Amino acid sequence: MADEGPKEVEVKKHIYPLVKNSDMPEEMRAETLELIVTACEKFLGNNELAAKLIKETMDKKFGSPWNVVVGEGFGFEVTCYLRNLLYMFVGGNLAVVIWKCA
């Protein structure tokens, strides 16, 4: 029996937006999803500017105060208004959480 050496592990990465949790109305979720994908593609590698663009746009469209976190490897627990939460992944492992609270 010959040693085949180390085996390669295939890691599957999704390139499409993947919504993990949302209680937003469908129309609001669709607009928010499009905004998040646009901001993350525009500011690829600069999560702070992407979050700022998303927050400012959501504040104008749906009233303030919106909170946004863009990044990798974080956990969260938030208290927010009902029907105002979205948790998703963009381009693999970049997570976005957006919620509205008082």
Side-chain angles (χ1 to χ4, degrees):
M1 199 179 327
D3 186 20
E4 296 176 11
K7 294 183 180 180
E8 290 185 28
V9 177
E10 185 178 324
V11 177
K12 292 186 179 183
K13 238 183 169 180
H14 61 276
I15 56 171
Y16 54 91
L18 176 66
V19 176
K20 295 295 282 186
N21 187 12
S22 175
D23 66 351
M24 289 181 171
E26 185 61 39
E27 186 177 310
M28 181 188 282
R29 181 173 54 219
E31 288 183 45
T32 305
L33 184 74
E34 185 177 324
L35 171 63
I36 289 170
V37 170
T38 302
C40 290
E41 287 177 350
K42 181 176 182 180
F43 297 110
L44 191 62
N46 192 337
N47 299 341
E48 188 175 339
L49 287 177
K52 184 176 180 180
L53 175 64
I54 295 166
K55 183 201 175 356
E56 289 173 353
T57 305
M58 291 297 288
D59 283 347
K60 287 177 189 172
K61 270 189 175 180
F62 300 108
S64 57
W66 284 90
N67 300 280
V68 182
V69 176
V70 179
E72 299 176 14
F74 65 87
F76 70 95
E77 183 175 333
V78 297
T79 302
C80 62
Y81 291 134
L82 288 176
R83 305 184 58 79
N84 286 286
L85 171 73
L86 177 70
Y87 172 46
M88 66 176 290
F89 288 92
V90 180
N93 58 350
L94 184 64
V96 179
V97 180
I98 181 167
W99 73 97
K100 186 175 185 177
C101 67

